[in-house]
Amino acid sequence: PTMVAKYAYLPTGTAFNTALKGLATDSGGQITKIIFDRFGSVDDTTPNTIEIQAASPSGEKIYAHYDNGEITVSTHANTIYLNADCSAMFKNMAQLTEIQWGNFFESEALTEVREMFMGCSSLYRVNLTGILNTANVTDMSHMFDGCSSAISIHLGLDFYTSNVTTMGYMFNDCSTASIIERGPHFNTGMVTNMDHMFSNCASLESL
């Protein structure tokens, strides 16, 4: 029989952030790792588990399950669509050290990424290769602001900046990062605000 493609849709970045922080608080802990997983084994009857999918469009359910600092975001869908608005998605998750993305994301509708990782002061490495398609994004301000423990930031092949006008504080206080790998589509031709874009990036050796 022919396999039918299944899709799941994440909520806005702010709603995702609020839901995961609430789950961790209700479970009595902090968020130290986030794992995105297809074909997870939890459902809404599993302890320390909530549903987090977008209300519209409808798709497969997405569950977030908390276990000793780790949140696993799982679905039975083949593809997870990132919300067009991913701003503040992981903002101020100060104990978060790692994000395991997987390879099943679709992000062509993405328009908002400002403050996406802002205040993730324990995140050890950022690798967005194959995750974010930013062709329609105009504002990247504060995107990695305060990622003070990240030793490297890899933006990936689909990280386009040709429509971006604002990059203020984008990498502010990435004080441990020695490498920011921009990818081939990083250009600043339309940017009008670069205020403090690389402030306090004292360890940066390569762009």
Side-chain angles (χ1 to χ4, degrees):
T2 303
M3 290 287 289
V4 178
K6 296 180 180 180
Y7 305 103
Y9 301 89
L10 283 170
T12 65
T14 300
F16 179 90
N17 185 300
T18 300
L20 264 61
K21 286 180 180 174
L23 174 61
T25 299
D26 291 346
S27 303
Q30 301 277 350
I31 304 172
T32 58
K33 181 188 287 188
I34 296 174
I35 303 166
F36 291 93
D37 181 31
R38 280 186 299 182
F39 316 122
S41 59
V42 302
D43 58 30
D44 51 9
T45 66
T46 309
N48 299 330
T49 302
I50 58 172
E51 286 187 39
I52 60 167
Q53 71 272 7
S56 178
S58 61
E60 292 291 306
K61 290 184 176 181
I62 304 175
Y63 297 103
H65 173 68
Y66 183 90
D67 183 18
N68 194 30
E70 296 185 4
I71 290 184
T72 301
V73 178
S74 62
T75 181
H76 287 283
N78 303 95
T79 302
I80 296 178
Y81 280 81
L82 287 174
N83 198 281
D85 182 359
C86 281
S87 57
M89 189 171 181
F90 305 99
K91 183 178 178 180
N92 292 336
M93 293 186 180
Q95 306 303 317
L96 180 65
T97 62
E98 182 180 358
I99 302 170
Q100 294 183 9
W101 288 98
N103 60 351
F104 39 83
F105 283 93
E106 176 60 60
S107 61
E108 288 186 357
L110 188 62
T111 59
E112 299 285 348
V113 296
R114 67 188 186 282
E115 301 181 358
M116 189 172 179
F117 301 95
M118 183 178 179
C120 290
S121 55
S122 299
L123 196 60
Y124 182 65
R125 184 179 280 111
V126 179
N127 188 349
L128 302 179
T129 302
I131 305 301
L132 296 188
N133 182 328
T134 58
N136 297 310
V137 172
T138 60
D139 185 352
M140 292 184 172
S141 59
H142 299 277
M143 189 174 180
F144 306 99
D145 187 354
C147 291
S148 54
S149 295
I151 61 169
S152 62
I153 298 172
H154 298 271
L155 300 180
L157 297 176
D158 295 321
F159 201 90
Y160 293 85
T161 63
S162 55
N163 289 314
V164 176
T165 58
T166 303
M167 290 183 172
Y169 293 86
M170 186 175 177
F171 301 101
N172 178 57
D173 200 25
C174 291
S175 53
T176 307
S178 59
I179 298 171
I180 297 176
E181 189 175 283
R182 297 172 297 165
H185 302 296
F186 194 101
N187 75 74
T188 57
M190 296 290 290
V191 178
T192 57
N193 182 348
M194 292 184 178
D195 292 350
H196 300 280
M197 186 175 172
F198 296 102
S199 286
N200 198 24
C201 291
S203 301
L204 191 59
E205 299 172 0
S206 175
L207 269 176

Coordinates of all heavy atoms in Angstrom, one line a residue, residues 146-188:
G146 N 23.0 36.7 23.9 CA 23.2 36.1 25.2 C 23.5 34.6 25.2 O 23.4 34.0 26.2
C147 N 23.8 34.1 24.0 CA 24.2 32.7 23.9 C 25.6 32.6 24.3 O 26.5 32.2 23.5 CB 24.0 32.1 22.5 SG 22.2 31.9 22.0
S148 N 25.9 32.9 25.6 CA 27.3 33.1 26.0 C 28.1 31.9 26.2 O 29.3 31.9 26.4 CB 27.2 33.9 27.3 OG 26.4 33.3 28.3
S149 N 27.5 30.7 26.1 CA 28.2 29.4 26.3 C 28.5 28.7 25.0 O 29.2 27.7 24.9 CB 27.5 28.5 27.2 OG 27.5 29.0 28.5
A150 N 27.9 29.2 23.9 CA 28.0 28.5 22.6 C 29.4 28.7 22.0 O 29.8 29.8 21.8 CB 26.9 29.1 21.6
I151 N 30.0 27.6 21.8 CA 31.4 27.6 21.2 C 31.4 27.8 19.7 O 32.4 28.3 19.1 CB 32.2 26.4 21.6 CG1 31.6 25.1 21.0 CG2 32.4 26.3 23.1 CD1 32.5 23.9 21.1
S152 N 30.3 27.5 19.0 CA 30.1 27.6 17.6 C 28.7 27.8 17.2 O 27.8 27.3 17.9 CB 30.7 26.5 16.8 OG 30.0 25.3 17.1
I153 N 28.5 28.6 16.1 CA 27.2 28.8 15.6 C 27.2 28.5 14.1 O 28.0 29.2 13.4 CB 26.7 30.2 15.9 CG1 26.6 30.5 17.4 CG2 25.3 30.5 15.2 CD1 26.3 31.9 17.7
H154 N 26.5 27.5 13.6 CA 26.4 27.2 12.2 C 25.0 27.5 11.7 O 24.1 26.9 12.1 CB 26.8 25.7 12.1 CG 28.1 25.3 12.5 ND1 29.3 25.4 11.7 CD2 28.6 24.9 13.8 CE1 30.3 25.0 12.4 NE2 29.9 24.7 13.7
L155 N 25.0 28.4 10.7 CA 23.7 28.9 10.3 C 23.1 28.0 9.1 O 21.9 27.9 9.0 CB 23.8 30.3 9.8 CG 24.3 31.3 10.9 CD1 24.3 32.7 10.3 CD2 23.3 31.2 12.1
G156 N 23.9 27.4 8.3 CA 23.5 26.4 7.4 C 23.2 27.0 6.0 O 23.2 28.2 5.7
L157 N 23.0 26.1 5.0 CA 22.8 26.4 3.6 C 21.6 27.2 3.3 O 21.5 27.9 2.3 CB 22.9 25.2 2.7 CG 24.2 24.3 2.8 CD1 24.0 23.1 2.0 CD2 25.4 25.2 2.3
D158 N 20.5 27.0 4.1 CA 19.2 27.7 3.9 C 19.0 28.9 4.7 O 17.9 29.4 4.7 CB 18.1 26.7 4.2 CG 18.1 25.5 3.2 OD1 18.4 25.7 2.0 OD2 17.9 24.4 3.7
F159 N 20.1 29.4 5.3 CA 20.0 30.7 6.0 C 20.2 31.9 5.1 O 21.3 32.3 4.9 CB 21.0 30.6 7.2 CG 20.7 31.6 8.3 CD1 20.0 31.1 9.4 CD2 21.2 32.9 8.3 CE1 19.7 32.0 10.4 CE2 20.9 33.7 9.4 CZ 20.1 33.3 10.4
Y160 N 19.1 32.3 4.6 CA 19.1 33.5 3.6 C 18.9 34.8 4.4 O 18.1 34.8 5.3 CB 18.1 33.3 2.6 CG 18.2 32.2 1.6 CD1 17.8 30.9 2.0 CD2 18.8 32.3 0.4 CE1 18.0 29.8 1.1 CE2 19.0 31.3 -0.5 CZ 18.6 30.0 -0.1 OH 18.7 29.0 -1.0
T161 N 19.6 35.8 4.0 CA 19.4 37.1 4.6 C 19.2 38.2 3.6 O 19.3 39.4 4.0 CB 20.7 37.5 5.5 OG1 21.8 37.6 4.6 CG2 20.9 36.4 6.5
S162 N 18.8 37.9 2.4 CA 18.7 38.9 1.4 C 17.5 39.9 1.6 O 17.5 41.0 1.0 CB 18.5 38.2 0.0 OG 17.5 37.3 0.0
N163 N 16.6 39.5 2.4 CA 15.4 40.4 2.8 C 15.5 41.0 4.2 O 14.6 41.7 4.6 CB 14.1 39.6 2.6 CG 13.8 39.3 1.2 OD1 13.9 40.2 0.3 ND2 13.4 38.1 0.9
V164 N 16.6 40.7 4.9 CA 16.7 41.1 6.3 C 17.1 42.6 6.3 O 18.0 43.0 5.6 CB 17.7 40.3 7.0 CG1 17.9 40.8 8.5 CG2 17.3 38.8 7.1
T165 N 16.4 43.4 7.1 CA 16.7 44.8 7.3 C 17.3 45.1 8.7 O 18.0 46.1 8.9 CB 15.5 45.7 7.1 OG1 14.5 45.3 8.0 CG2 15.0 45.5 5.6
T166 N 17.0 44.2 9.6 CA 17.4 44.4 11.0 C 18.2 43.3 11.6 O 17.7 42.1 11.6 CB 16.2 44.7 11.9 OG1 15.4 45.7 11.4 CG2 16.6 45.0 13.4
M167 N 19.5 43.5 12.0 CA 20.3 42.5 12.6 C 20.9 43.0 14.0 O 21.9 42.5 14.5 CB 21.5 42.1 11.7 CG 21.1 41.3 10.5 SD 22.5 40.8 9.5 CE 21.8 39.7 8.4
G168 N 20.2 44.0 14.5 CA 20.7 44.6 15.8 C 20.8 43.6 16.9 O 19.9 42.8 17.1
Y169 N 21.9 43.5 17.6 CA 22.2 42.6 18.7 C 22.1 41.1 18.3 O 21.9 40.3 19.2 CB 21.2 42.9 19.9 CG 21.4 44.2 20.5 CD1 20.9 45.4 20.0 CD2 22.3 44.4 21.7 CE1 21.1 46.6 20.6 CE2 22.5 45.6 22.3 CZ 21.9 46.7 21.8 OH 22.1 47.9 22.4
M170 N 22.2 40.8 17.0 CA 22.0 39.5 16.6 C 22.9 38.4 17.3 O 22.4 37.4 17.7 CB 22.2 39.4 15.1 CG 21.9 38.0 14.5 SD 22.0 38.1 12.7 CE 21.6 36.4 12.2
F171 N 24.2 38.8 17.4 CA 25.1 37.9 18.1 C 25.7 38.5 19.4 O 26.7 38.1 19.9 CB 26.3 37.5 17.2 CG 25.8 36.8 15.9 CD1 25.8 37.5 14.7 CD2 25.5 35.5 15.9 CE1 25.4 36.9 13.5 CE2 25.1 34.8 14.7 CZ 25.0 35.6 13.5
N172 N 25.0 39.5 19.9 CA 25.5 40.2 21.1 C 25.7 39.2 22.2 O 24.9 38.3 22.5 CB 24.4 41.2 21.5 CG 24.8 41.9 22.8 OD1 25.9 42.5 22.9 ND2 24.0 41.8 23.8
D173 N 26.9 39.3 22.9 CA 27.2 38.5 24.1 C 27.4 37.0 23.7 O 27.2 36.2 24.6 CB 26.2 38.7 25.2 CG 26.8 38.3 26.6 OD1 28.0 38.3 26.7 OD2 26.0 38.0 27.4
C174 N 27.7 36.7 22.5 CA 28.1 35.3 22.2 C 29.6 35.2 22.5 O 30.5 35.0 21.7 CB 27.9 35.0 20.7 SG 26.1 34.9 20.3
S175 N 29.9 35.4 23.8 CA 31.3 35.6 24.2 C 32.2 34.4 24.1 O 33.4 34.6 24.2 CB 31.3 36.1 25.7 OG 30.5 35.2 26.5
T176 N 31.7 33.2 24.0 CA 32.5 32.0 23.9 C 32.7 31.5 22.5 O 33.6 30.8 22.2 CB 31.9 30.9 24.8 OG1 31.7 31.4 26.1 CG2 32.8 29.7 24.9
A177 N 31.9 32.0 21.6 CA 31.9 31.5 20.2 C 33.2 31.9 19.5 O 33.5 33.1 19.4 CB 30.7 32.0 19.5
S178 N 33.9 30.9 19.0 CA 35.1 31.2 18.2 C 34.8 31.1 16.7 O 35.5 31.7 15.9 CB 36.2 30.1 18.5 OG 35.8 28.8 18.3
I179 N 33.7 30.5 16.3 CA 33.3 30.3 14.9 C 31.8 30.7 14.8 O 31.0 30.2 15.5 CB 33.6 28.9 14.4 CG1 35.0 28.5 14.5 CG2 33.0 28.8 13.0 CD1 35.3 27.1 14.2
I180 N 31.5 31.6 13.8 CA 30.2 31.8 13.4 C 30.2 31.5 11.9 O 30.8 32.2 11.1 CB 29.6 33.2 13.6 CG1 29.6 33.5 15.1 CG2 28.3 33.3 13.0 CD1 29.1 34.9 15.5
E181 N 29.7 30.3 11.5 CA 29.7 29.9 10.1 C 28.4 30.4 9.4 O 27.3 29.9 9.7 CB 29.8 28.3 10.0 CG 30.0 27.8 8.6 CD 30.2 26.3 8.6 OE1 31.3 25.9 9.0 OE2 29.2 25.6 8.3
R182 N 28.6 31.3 8.5 CA 27.4 32.1 8.0 C 26.7 31.3 6.9 O 25.5 31.5 6.7 CB 27.9 33.4 7.5 CG 28.4 34.4 8.5 CD 29.0 35.6 7.9 NE 30.2 35.2 7.0 CZ 30.7 36.1 6.1 NH1 30.2 37.3 5.9 NH2 31.7 35.7 5.4
G183 N 27.4 30.5 6.2 CA 26.8 29.8 5.0 C 26.9 30.8 3.8 O 27.2 31.9 3.9
P184 N 26.5 30.2 2.6 CA 26.7 31.0 1.4 C 25.7 32.1 1.0 O 25.9 32.8 0.1 CB 26.7 29.9 0.3 CG 25.7 28.9 0.9 CD 26.0 28.9 2.4
H185 N 24.6 32.1 1.8 CA 23.6 33.1 1.5 C 23.4 34.2 2.5 O 22.4 34.8 2.6 CB 22.2 32.3 1.3 CG 22.3 31.2 0.3 ND1 22.5 31.5 -1.0 CD2 22.2 29.9 0.4 CE1 22.5 30.3 -1.7 NE2 22.3 29.4 -0.8
F186 N 24.5 34.4 3.2 CA 24.5 35.5 4.3 C 25.0 36.8 3.6 O 26.2 36.9 3.4 CB 25.3 35.1 5.5 CG 25.1 35.9 6.7 CD1 24.3 35.5 7.7 CD2 25.7 37.2 6.8 CE1 24.1 36.3 8.9 CE2 25.5 38.0 7.9 CZ 24.7 37.5 8.9
N187 N 24.1 37.7 3.3 CA 24.6 39.0 2.8 C 23.8 40.1 3.5 O 22.7 39.9 4.0 CB 24.5 39.1 1.3 CG 23.0 39.3 0.8 OD1 22.5 40.4 1.0 ND2 22.4 38.3 0.3
T188 N 24.4 41.3 3.6 CA 23.8 42.3 4.4 C 23.4 43.5 3.6 O 23.3 44.7 4.0 CB 24.8 42.8 5.5 OG1 26.0 43.2 4.9 CG2 25.1 41.7 6.5

